[in-house]
Structure formats: C-alpha cells, structure tokens
C-alpha cells in the first residue's frame, strides 16, 4: 500500500473513532436514567404506584404456542383464530408470527415442536394488562390442554 492510501485509511479510522466517541457522549448526556439506575427493570425497593415492570410506556407481549396438545393431538386452527380475535378485540390489534419450529429439553428428553404458532401485541404498560396476561396464560393452558405456554413481556416504545 502506498503512503497516500495509508494516510487516507488512517484519517478515516481517526474520524470513525471521533464520531463513535461523540455519539457515546451524546447518548450518555441525553439518557434519562431511572431512579434505580440504568436497569430497565425495577427492583422491589423501587416500587411505585404505576404498577409498571419496565420504565417504558408500552410493553410487547409474545405468546408462543405449540401446535400439539400434551397428548400429541394437533390443536385445531379454530383455536388459534379464537386467540387472534380475543387479542385483537381486547387490545385493538395483534400480530401473528410466522409458523416456527422449536426445541425444548425436559427431564433429559428432547421435544421438537414443528409448525408452532405465536402472536404478539403492543399494549400499555399497566398492572391491569400484566395481570390480564398472567390470567390469560392460564386460560390458554387450560383451553389448549398445555402444561406450558411460553409468554414473554418486553419493554418497548412506539416511535411517533
């Protein structure tokens, strides 16, 4: 490599470092740390009256459902349509995840789920919604004859 190319590469490298450092300083100066630090979750000592688990205005709730019941029989598509309608009616919308395969290990036995289904919704971060989903998970387990339904809650923010 000739000297001119080396100088150009060195200059670009220095510019990249300066831009990265500037962004880090900007991000740090514009972040609004929570009372409990930068952690998105609140610990028991920092409870407030909002009932929020995360310091975000909304949460994303993912519900992953096996395609088969505990006894190995397939869950009817009508059951998934019912879940879709319930979520859309309650929260104004729902996103259906594409079918997926998954694997779990229980008691040293491997279970491969094929053509599993899932949904997600973005909802207000309220204690009422969190309680509703906790109850709904049990409802789905009973309705679909499942000993496990995988449900997660994540902080999210909708960009205006």
């Amino acid at each position: 490599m000739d000297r001119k190319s080396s100088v150009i590469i060195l200059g670009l490298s220095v510019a990249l470092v300066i831009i990265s450092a500037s962004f880090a300083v900007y991000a740090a100066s514009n972040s609004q740390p929570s009372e409990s630090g930068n952690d998105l979750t609140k610990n028991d000592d920092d409870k407030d009256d909002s009932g929020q688990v995360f310091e975000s205005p909304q949460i994303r709730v993912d519900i992953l459902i096996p395609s088969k019941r505990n006894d190995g029989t397939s869950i009817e598509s009508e059951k998934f349509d019912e879940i879709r309608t319930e979520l859309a009616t309650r929260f104004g919308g729902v996103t259906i995840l594409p079918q997926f395969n998954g694997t779990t290990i229980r008691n040293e036995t491997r279970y491969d789920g094929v053509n599993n289904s899932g949904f997600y919704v973005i909802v207000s971060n309220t204690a009422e919604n969190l309680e509703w989903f906790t109850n709904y998970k049990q409802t789905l387990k009973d309705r679909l004859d499942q000993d496990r339904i995988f449900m997660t809650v994540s902080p999210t923010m909708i960009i205006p």
Side-chain angles (χ1 to χ4, degrees):
M1 184 174 348
D2 65 354
R3 181 174 170 88
K4 184 177 180 181
S5 297
S6 297
V7 169
I8 291 173
I9 290 173
L10 178 62
L12 289 174
S13 298
V14 169
L16 183 60
V17 168
I18 291 170
I19 291 170
S20 297
S22 298
F23 179 74
V25 168
Y26 172 79
S29 67
N30 287 306
S31 68
Q32 297 176 355
S34 68
E35 294 172 6
S36 60
N38 290 328
D39 189 10
L40 289 175
T41 59
K42 294 182 178 184
N43 64 35
D44 291 338
D45 298 334
D46 294 327
K47 286 186 179 178
D48 63 18
D49 294 331
S50 71
Q52 294 183 340
V53 174
F54 302 107
E55 293 180 3
S56 64
Q58 297 90 18
I59 53 174
R60 174 179 164 154
V61 181
D62 289 272
I63 305 169
L64 307 182
I65 303 172
S67 59
K68 297 187 181 214
R69 294 181 178 84
N70 290 337
D71 65 7
T73 60
S74 294
I75 297 173
E76 302 80 11
S77 62
E78 293 83 19
K79 296 287 186 186
F80 294 105
D81 287 339
E82 186 179 324
I83 295 166
R84 177 184 190 175
T85 300
E86 286 173 343
L87 293 170
T89 300
R90 175 148 179 105
F91 299 107
V94 62
T95 300
I96 300 165
L97 299 170
Q99 287 192 331
F100 58 90
N101 300 330
T103 300
T104 59
I105 306 280
R106 289 189 305 245
N107 300 323
E108 299 181 18
T109 301
R110 177 179 158 158
Y111 298 90
D112 293 326
V114 178
N115 296 326
N116 296 312
S117 295
F119 305 89
Y120 80 83
V121 292
I122 306 294
V123 301
S124 296
N125 184 4
T126 65
E128 177 186 348
N129 283 339
L130 290 169
E131 181 178 354
W132 188 88
F133 279 105
T134 299
N135 295 332
Y136 192 59
K137 180 176 179 176
Q138 187 59 50
T139 298
L140 291 177
K141 288 167 67 174
D142 295 342
R143 183 187 302 167
L144 303 174
D145 188 25
Q146 291 291 329
D147 56 357
R148 295 177 182 198
I149 298 283
F150 192 73
M151 188 179 290
T152 61
V153 177
S154 307
T156 192
M157 184 178 72
I158 299 171
I159 297 175

